[in-house]
Amino acid sequence: MQRISHWVNNKVVAGTSGRTGKVFNPATGEQQAEVDLASTAEVDAVIAKSKAAFPEWRATGMSRRAEIMFRTRELLDANRKELATFLTLEHGKVPSDALGEIARGIENIEFACGIPALMKGGYSEQASGGVDVYSIRQPLGVVAGITPFNFPAMVPMWMFANAIMCGNTFILKPSEKDPSASMFIADLLRQAGLPDGVFNVLHGDKEAVDRLLVHPDIQSVSFVGSTPIAKYVYETGTKNGKRVQALGGAKNHMLVLPDADLDMAADAAVSAAYGSAGERFMAVSVVLAVDSIADALIEKLASRVPNIKVGPGTDPSAEMGPLISREHRDKVASYINNAAGEGATVVINGTDKAKDAGFFLNPSLIDNVKPGMKCYDEEIFGPVLTVMRVKSYAEGLKTINDNEFGNGTAIFTRDGGVARQFQYDVQVGMVGINVPIPVPVSYYSFGGWKASLFGDQHMYGPEGINFFTRGKVVTSRWPDPRTSAVDLGFPTNR
Ligand code: NAD
């Protein structure tokens, strides 16, 4: 059985805890590897290595850091296909989806190459007589990133690119379900010239996370995953004095108004609901259809769904792959199987496919969904599109704002005034106007509101730089004996 071990000081290091996790091929249902799960002592050892690497990395010139980041970008670009194979093998992504994830991740590396221009501080000459004041941004030290299974390449890139370019050393704790992509990226960073200890990968589960959250030498924690764990990570990390950004789950609504182009809306909803088998935090999970067009829209959705080609990522014609695990596949199927009993209408039931050896489901479509039903109230995270009928724009907006999550949303309309009102009123962090998956480009920042984000700094982009640095303001005066005197009053500037 293949064994996946840790990455410390630019080398693969075998785990010593004696504990391992199982890594499956979701397309066949078979275990294909085992991954080392770190003990508390192993976490401590990696933190010590990262701490030792920090002073020299911090002192490394920005131009040299940028050079390494540019090389990393070139290596990632040249190895897109190889990296994508790990996403197919361990996550089940079809190639178009895996390559899309990598492309969006690389955009974060490209943004980080320009960080020297964005870390410039301010300077005020002559704030008072002979006194200058200026601000600088400095790295935090050893920082940690804990990532989910659904984007094993992109989400780590959201975090480490900014973190290390700002001068920190970084420990990645990837999902134990698909750990190989992080090892491949680690080796590319080594090839790019990143010094030992600046980027380490520690595989593990709750034991490793819990140690990272309390260890005094960890300065910040970036987390992406489900809402209950995000909340736990935020509360535990901040209680232990750390800076934390913790992104949680989602329930993304797409509001379709009567004046929308319904074919375009149906294409967008189907692409955004079933891409990556619905295991995307920005997947459209609920279509809010205004009554007058609801029947027509559902007909258009229902006619498209059966055309989706479900299969393993090794089949070049497959558009949608399996789910991550047997347990998750069965949980998603339970939402579909219980929906009719709760009063919803199951238009297309994809659970037949659950008989396959791999963790597959076919796409499902559920109409007449309402708050109070499990398939609406909970994050499904699978290939299930639900439709809720609403009387008006106002009812659609209220539904979105009443939901506990506030990650992403979209409105489909031709009315610019209504779209502008929607962006003004909606209590969601990322908004699409005729765009179903509004993941911000790398020079903005990513983050939801409400139960989708704990903390106040969004991920990557300019807020990512703020998160990974600390501000310092210097007030300076060079000796001028003519103005020197003892004065116990509070310093004034005039
Ligand atoms: P998860 O919360 O189960 O796991 C995320 C990470 O936390 C993993 O590294 C895991 O090892 C660790 N973890 C799991 N249980 C833990 C525990 N009890 N204590 C400490 N650490 C623990 O999430 P997942 O299943 O890997 O990913 C899917 C979830 O992530 C979905 O809810 C999805 O919406 C969410 N997600 C959100 C975003 C976003 O940007 N908001 C992005 C991607 C995924």
Side-chain angles (χ1 to χ4, degrees), residues 72 76 205 234 253 264 331 344 380 407 455 480 482:
T72 304
L76 279 163
D205 53 7
Y234 181 77
H253 298 72
M264 184 179 153
K331 187 169 174 223
I380 299 178
N407 196 53
D480 178 355
R482 288 168 305 169

Side-chain angles (χ1 to χ4, degrees), residues 147-150 173 176 223-226 247-249 281 379 381 446:
T147 54
F149 78 81
N150 66 325
K173 205 304 282 171
E176 63 277 36
F223 174 90
V224 175
S226 58
L247 276 60
F281 47 90
E379 180 185 40
F381 222 58
F446 183 107

Side-chain angles (χ1 to χ4, degrees), residues 353-389:
K353 187 83 180 152
K355 294 186 211 92
D356 288 15
F359 310 142
F360 289 96
L361 281 178
N362 277 328
S364 296
L365 179 64
I366 309 179
D367 189 11
N368 291 311
V369 162
K370 292 192 172 54
M373 297 178 182
K374 270 194 158 189
C375 63
Y376 178 75
D377 289 349
E378 296 179 13
E379 180 185 40
I380 299 178
F381 222 58
V384 183
L385 180 59
T386 62
V387 181
M388 186 186 299
R389 293 162 181 251

Side-chain angles (χ1 to χ4, degrees), residues 31-83:
Q31 186 185 349
Q32 57 185 343
E34 57 182 4
V35 58
D36 285 323
L37 301 176
S39 64
T40 299
E42 288 173 289
V43 178
D44 288 356
V46 173
I47 293 173
K49 297 258 180 354
S50 306
K51 192 178 177 187
F54 175 64
E56 202 176 320
W57 179 241
R58 181 189 170 193
T60 301
M62 287 220 209
S63 158
R64 171 70 184 144
R65 285 189 233 153
E67 184 186 16
I68 293 170
M69 201 49 69
F70 272 108
R71 281 202 194 135
T72 304
R73 191 260 169 219
E74 291 312 302
L75 285 164
L76 279 163
D77 183 44
N79 287 281
R80 283 173 200 248
K81 280 203 177 139
E82 204 175 341
L83 179 53

